[in-house]
Amino acid sequence: MILAHKIALEPTVKQRIAFARATGVARFTWNWALAEYERQHKAGEKPTALKLKKQWNGIKGEQFPWVYESPKGANQQVFSNLGKAFSGFFKKKVKYPRFKRKGEHDAFYVENDKFRVSDKIVTLPKIGSVRLRENLRFNGKIMGAVVSRTADRWFISIQVDVGELKCLHFGEDVVGVDLGVKTAVTLSTGEKLQGPKPLKKAIRKVRRYSRIVSRRKKGSRRREKAKRRLARLHYRTSNIRQDFLHKLTTRLCRENQTIVIE
């Protein structure tokens, strides 16, 4: 079984710039591949992710030499992701792949043989040693990693093959779960759990920060600064909500062997 551990990073200013550059390479490669796919498809050709990857590798050195300033995985894993996206689209499981915009989902991939983890340090290609906020939780074979940005914070999600996991047996009860609006969760035991409403508490700040963003000149540093402040607020409210859900699901799984949901 492959498990992922997402760990917060503590990069230097220089490393933050390198991260942003690598995410830009990944975004540019994705948009190039998607545009080229659509162009070839309209011309009556049959493009595939593998063909596009070979085409990209043949021209990137001459036309886009700056991609070599970032880790190789930033512009190579994109084609595998695009292939999976189109596969899911043709199976009618997901929507048609979209072009990516800056700040929408900033992330890039790093191959398992291109980085190493030692205590609270991860060494990445082209970037160097970056401090981790905590040690890697899982033991096993490292399969790869994804560096991503949420608000103005950077994280690395490391995938580890931990082998077979033994099932842990806790409680033997059966519980029914009903999700509501006024009450977050009502259990068949009669217990009602009120969920946190962080956005409701922070709505005045959200509105104020949003107005500030809209008033700032597009492309200015002050607008970017205001956008980061708004993103941090949304990130905090999201963390509060996720914390409640993780603790609730962990409790239900430990206390019960069977969970019934409407």
Side-chain angles (χ1 to χ4, degrees):
M1 178 180 288
I2 297 178
L3 300 178
H5 185 190
K6 189 174 183 179
I7 308 174
L9 297 170
E10 295 181 343
T12 63
V13 174
K14 186 176 180 180
Q15 289 170 341
R16 286 176 178 272
I17 296 173
F19 286 160
R21 184 187 301 118
T23 59
V25 169
R27 180 174 59 253
F28 178 86
T29 309
W30 170 277
N31 291 341
W32 178 92
L34 182 55
E36 188 64 18
Y37 184 99
E38 293 181 345
R39 185 191 68 78
Q40 294 183 16
H41 183 71
K42 290 180 180 179
E45 302 176 27
K46 295 183 179 180
T48 65
L50 182 59
K51 291 180 181 178
L52 291 173
K53 185 176 181 179
K54 291 181 178 179
Q55 181 182 347
W56 166 260
N57 289 335
I59 66 171
K60 67 178 182 180
E62 181 180 351
Q63 298 185 21
F64 315 111
W66 40 266
V67 301
Y68 291 105
E69 298 177 7
S70 298
K72 182 180 178 181
N75 70 85
Q76 294 296 293
Q77 184 66 18
V78 166
F79 298 94
S80 176
N81 295 341
L82 185 65
K84 292 177 182 178
F86 272 110
S87 177
F89 170 73
F90 291 133
K91 292 178 181 178
K92 298 182 179 181
K93 293 182 178 181
V94 296
K95 295 182 179 180
Y96 187 84
R98 298 186 300 121
F99 290 97
K100 294 184 178 181
R101 296 182 298 178
K102 183 178 180 180
E104 193 173 52
H105 180 65
D106 293 334
F108 65 94
Y109 181 80
V110 185
E111 300 98 326
N112 63 339
D113 61 338
K114 296 295 188 298
F115 75 97
R116 64 180 184 274
V117 181
S118 177
D119 294 328
K120 291 186 179 181
I121 297 292
V122 58
T123 305
L124 301 170
K126 305 287 186 179
I127 297 172
S129 299
V130 187
R131 293 183 60 186
L132 302 172
R133 292 293 296 273
E134 57 182 313
N135 289 316
L136 181 61
R137 186 182 304 139
F138 306 123
N139 295 318
K141 181 181 178 181
I142 294 179
M143 306 301 292
V146 175
V147 177
S148 61
R149 174 166 54 188
T150 302
D152 59 348
R153 299 190 63 187
W154 289 95
F155 298 86
I156 184 169
S157 179
I158 303 175
Q159 298 92 43
V160 182
D161 188 351
V162 297
E164 294 185 6
L165 291 179
K166 295 182 179 179
C167 295
L168 300 178
H169 294 279
F170 295 100
E172 299 294 335
D173 296 335
V174 178
V175 67
V177 179
D178 179 44
L179 304 179
V181 178
K182 293 184 178 180
T183 302
V185 175
T186 302
L187 305 181
S188 57
T189 58
E191 182 181 1
K192 295 183 178 180
L193 300 174
Q194 296 289 345
K197 297 181 180 180
L199 185 60
K200 184 177 180 180
K201 293 180 180 179
I203 195 65
R204 291 184 64 184
K205 283 187 177 181
V206 171
R207 289 172 178 169
R208 182 159 58 91
Y209 290 173
S210 297
R211 286 196 299 268
I212 293 174
V213 171
S214 64
R215 291 169 182 169
R216 296 289 185 258
K217 184 179 179 181
K218 290 185 178 181
S220 66
R221 290 186 178 182
R222 296 185 68 191
R223 183 183 177 90
E224 290 301 318
K225 184 178 179 180
K227 287 173 66 176
R228 287 197 299 269
R229 183 167 58 177
L230 178 60
R232 284 197 297 269
L233 182 59
H234 280 296
Y235 173 63
R236 182 176 181 276
T237 58
S238 174
N239 281 348
I240 296 173
R241 192 179 299 110
Q242 289 295 328
D243 180 69
F244 168 76
L245 293 175
H246 284 313
K247 289 178 178 178
L248 173 62
T249 52
T250 300
R251 172 196 161 185
L252 293 176
C253 291
R254 288 182 174 178
E255 294 178 353
N256 306 277
Q257 282 298 309
T258 303
I259 301 175
V260 182
I261 301 177
E262 182 182 4

